């Protein structure tokens, strides 16, 4: 069936205080992207335990967990606002391991820095793991640069190599950059900086990814849930942060086992990507009849998600959608699904095995106009995930809901 991830809490580091929200039922996705719905009892090691119809159901090797309040195909998905409201003042930090947090920035050991986060406490990191810093709590545009950039509050920009972000006498933190061209060095108080981006740090393999409220995301080397409390350890030897499990947006337990289609390279076609959602998915809108092609990573084994005719298009919209995969130049294209979307049949679940291939495959989505011509023939690919492990037979586990519609 399809997608997404978990609602476990963006709450407070160390002993949890204050009133707790009642956890919503969650969806747990296994290695084959099969969903199980229930009340989460615990998440430990390779097993998620759910209470389903009064009985405990174990899901082994779960890939992701997501709250049912943010899971489903046929609703508006505003995604994570680029400038999500803050619970308090802070800088927006993005790291190479996928971490994206806000807090107060302090100097650390050597060339390192420390972010003091409201829920997770002190998050230490070296300068070379920093991807971007928004001084006023705003995320970057997500684009990696070839070099480093410092955007000043007055609109000027400095390009070059950021040597340090450190405490300078009388100015607090300041950034020192070696300028491109003349190699001169400029030191600017951080209070005069709007944002900065580093282009050199390579992405590191993340562990568990936990989405918190307001678009924040934390990585963890250890992560568990017991009833209503989540325990998150960001680095080996670090103290555990204890979070209210009802306040987290989602958890991706096995990033190597699944990737959103939105992160795959778009080879051709007009596609409008919506804002990022937990788990990294986006609403992918094909605005009119035509074709869109994505390059799937090598080893991709499943595709899962929903195709939706948006509500505003259901009066006249009527189109045929064909989903095909080409596993290589010597392999004949395989049709995965073919169906019609209309006002009376506006949602179709996509759930298909991909042909085995050691080479990157191409996913082709074709939208063809129907009986009313091209008017309102707009298709949204919602919560599309690509899985990297074929679990064989896919009988629905206990508690799995019937899909809203099935592709023939």
């Amino acid at each position: 069936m399809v997608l997404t991830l978990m609602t476990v809490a963006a709450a407070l580091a160390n002993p949890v205080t204050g009133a707790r929200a009642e956890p919503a039922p969650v969806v747990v996705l296994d290695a084959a992207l099969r969903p199980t719905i229930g009340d989460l009892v615990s998440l430990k090691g390779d097993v998620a335990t759910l209470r389903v119809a009064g009985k405990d159901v174990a899901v082994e090797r779960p890939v992701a967990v997501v709250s049912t309040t943010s899971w489903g195909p046929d609703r508006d998905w505003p995604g994570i606002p680029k400038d999500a409201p803050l619970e308090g003042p802070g800088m927006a930090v993005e790291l190479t391991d996928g971490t994206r947090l806000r807090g107060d920035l302090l100097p650390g050991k050597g060339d390192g820095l420390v972010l003091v986060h409201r829920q997770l406490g002190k998050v230490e990191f070296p300068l070379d793991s920093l991807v971007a810093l928004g001084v006023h709590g705003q995320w970057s545009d997500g684009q990696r640069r070839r070099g480093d950039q410092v955007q000043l509050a007055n609109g000027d920009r400095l390009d070059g190599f950021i040597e340090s972000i450190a405490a300078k006498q009388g100015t607090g933190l300041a950034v020192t950059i070696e300028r491109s061209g003349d190699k001169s060095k400029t030191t600017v108080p951080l209070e005069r900086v709007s944002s900065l981006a580093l282009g050199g740090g390579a992405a590191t393999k993340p562990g568990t990814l936990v989405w918190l409220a307001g678009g924040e995301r934390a990585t963890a080397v250890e992560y568990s849930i017991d009833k209503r409390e989540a325990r998150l350890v960001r680095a080996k030897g670090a103290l555990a942060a204890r979070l209210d499990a009802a306040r987290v947006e989602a958890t991706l337990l096995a990033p190597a086992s699944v990737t959103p289609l939105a992160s795959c390279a778009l080879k051709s076609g007009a596609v409008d990507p919506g804002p990022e959602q937990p788990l990294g998915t986006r609403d992918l809108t094909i605005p009119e009849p035509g074709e869109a092609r994505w390059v799937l990573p090598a080893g991709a084994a499943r595709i899962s998600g929903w195709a939706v005719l948006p509500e505003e298009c259901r009066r006249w919209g009527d189109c045929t959608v064909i989903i095909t995969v080409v596993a290589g130049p010597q392999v004949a294209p395989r049709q995965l699904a073919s169906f019609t979307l209309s006002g009376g049949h506006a949602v179709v679940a996509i759930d298909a095995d991909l042909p085995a291939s050691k080479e990157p495959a191409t996913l082709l989505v074709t939208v063809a106009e129907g009986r009313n011509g091209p008017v309102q023939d707009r298709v949204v690919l919602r919560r599309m995930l690509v899985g990297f492990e074929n679990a064989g037979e896919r009988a629905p586990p206990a508690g799995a809901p019937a899909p809203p519609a099935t592709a023939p």
Side-chain angles (χ1 to χ4, degrees):
M1 233 169 82
V2 73
L3 32 35
T4 196
L5 29 111
M6 144 176 202
T7 301
V8 16
L12 308 155
N14 298 321
V16 180
T17 59
R20 291 179 179 271
E22 189 65 27
V26 299
V27 179
V28 176
L29 301 179
D30 67 9
L33 304 184
R34 293 173 297 195
T36 302
I37 296 178
D39 296 317
L40 187 63
V41 176
S42 67
L43 177 62
K44 297 179 181 178
D46 289 336
V47 178
T49 302
L50 299 170
R51 181 61 57 87
V52 179
K55 297 181 179 180
D56 286 352
V57 175
V59 179
E60 297 183 357
R61 299 169 62 207
V63 168
V65 189
V66 61
S67 170
T68 53
T69 60
S70 60
W71 181 80
D74 197 16
R75 64 177 72 180
D76 292 331
W77 293 96
I80 298 171
K82 181 180 178 182
D83 301 327
L86 299 177
E87 294 187 8
M91 299 186 184
V93 168
E94 300 176 58
L95 305 180
T96 54
D97 66 358
T99 296
R100 185 171 57 190
L101 298 171
R102 292 189 179 99
D104 296 320
L105 197 63
L106 301 174
K109 298 176 182 178
D111 70 346
L113 295 163
V114 176
L115 184 79
V116 182
H117 188 264
R118 184 169 178 173
Q119 285 82 43
L120 302 180
K122 293 182 178 180
V123 177
E124 301 183 41
F125 59 94
L127 178 62
D128 61 7
S129 71
L130 182 64
V131 172
L133 173 67
V135 174
H136 303 294
Q138 298 178 347
W139 306 123
S140 72
D141 57 15
Q143 297 181 1
R144 297 301 302 274
R145 272 84 179 170
R146 301 185 71 173
D148 299 348
Q149 292 181 358
V150 177
Q151 187 72 43
L152 301 181
N154 65 5
D156 291 344
R157 193 182 76 189
L158 307 177
D159 296 297
F161 173 74
I162 294 176
E163 285 193 349
S164 67
I165 301 174
K168 299 295 181 181
Q169 187 174 5
T171 65
L173 285 176
V175 54
T176 298
I177 183 170
E178 181 183 275
R179 306 285 297 275
S180 297
D182 61 10
K183 302 299 181 182
S184 62
K185 295 183 181 181
T186 301
T187 298
V188 183
L190 210 52
E191 63 187 22
R192 291 175 50 197
V193 173
S194 173
S195 64
L196 56 87
L198 283 74
T204 55
K205 186 177 180 180
T208 295
L209 287 172
V210 181
W211 274 258
L212 309 177
E216 293 187 304
R217 182 172 61 211
T219 59
V221 296
E222 297 178 24
Y223 188 74
S224 61
I225 302 171
D226 188 7
K227 296 180 181 178
R228 297 172 65 176
E229 183 176 271
R231 181 178 177 275
L232 186 153
V233 179
R234 257 196 53 81
K236 291 182 178 179
L239 294 176
R242 300 184 184 279
L243 312 174
D244 179 356
R247 296 180 59 194
V248 172
E249 302 241 332
T251 303
L252 180 58
L253 299 159
S257 297
V258 65
T259 192
L261 182 62
S263 70
C264 298
L266 180 65
K267 190 174 182 180
S268 64
V271 177
D272 298 329
E276 181 183 324
Q277 302 155 341
L279 231 182
T281 62
R282 297 174 186 266
D283 279 355
L284 301 172
T285 300
I286 302 175
E288 59 187 8
E291 293 183 348
R293 295 173 182 260
W294 286 269
V295 179
L296 302 180
R302 293 201 60 76
I303 188 77
S304 178
W306 282 291
V308 178
L309 186 69
E311 188 172 353
E312 67 272 16
C313 297
R314 294 178 185 176
R315 181 175 181 180
W316 297 105
D318 185 286
C319 56
T320 299
V321 179
I322 301 172
I323 301 176
T324 306
V325 65
V326 181
Q330 307 301 321
V331 181
R334 178 192 292 183
Q335 182 173 296
L336 302 179
S338 177
F339 50 86
T340 297
L341 292 177
S342 65
H345 189 65
V347 178
V348 168
I350 300 167
D351 183 22
D353 290 320
L354 301 174
S357 175
K358 296 182 179 180
E359 302 295 328
T362 298
L363 184 75
L364 170 62
V365 179
T366 303
V367 178
E369 63 183 64
R371 59 186 177 183
N372 296 327
V375 179
Q376 295 186 346
D377 285 351
R378 183 181 309 137
V379 175
V380 180
L381 301 177
R382 186 153 285 169
R383 301 290 195 179
M384 296 292 292
L385 294 179
V386 179
F388 290 88
E389 181 174 354
N390 193 334
E393 187 177 351
R394 293 174 49 81
T406 3

